[in-house]
Amino acid sequence: MSMTDPVADFLTRIRNGLHADRDDVEMPASNFKAELARILREQGYIEDYAVEAARVGRVLRVTLKYTEDRKPVIQGIERVSKPGNRRYVDAGTIPKVQGGMGTTIVSTSHGVMTGHEAKRAGVGGELVARVW
């Protein structure tokens, strides 16, 4: 099966797993998805992630995070730049999410990083996703 937007698939699987009250979700792995999962873990949106060998290729397992009363930590997650409509920004115009309470994920020439890190480094890039 051909997948036209693996990043949107990654975000949708996380969103669907949270709505279904799952403890973890699995998806085909890639280095870019592993970087997205790393950022989500560093920002405290997911418990952990692991890239594991599968029958064919590798699989990315993301352990979802909930509050004590079992509400998802991620309130919203969406793709910003899409294959048919790429969004690029420079360091000065990286948007804030929820007044700075959320996270913007940016793919830069220095790697995948949060919007705050990209501003600090003075680099722009493609707006991949917003998480709050």
Side-chain angles (χ1 to χ4, degrees), residues 53-111:
R55 283 191 330 169
V56 177
R58 301 175 304 156
V59 65
L60 175 66
R61 181 184 310 276
V62 176
T63 306
L64 303 173
K65 188 173 184 179
Y66 297 92
T67 61
E68 289 181 16
D69 55 345
R70 199 65 182 172
K71 290 186 179 174
V73 171
I74 297 176
Q75 297 299 310
I77 186 167
E78 71 177 5
R79 179 86 152 111
V80 178
S81 182
K82 299 176 174 130
N85 184 18
R86 300 286 185 193
R87 289 218 23 221
Y88 297 95
V89 294
D90 58 11
T93 60
I94 295 174
K96 289 184 178 180
V97 178
Q98 298 285 316
M101 297 301 291
T103 303
T104 304
I105 301 175
V106 183
S107 176
T108 70
S109 58
H110 297 284

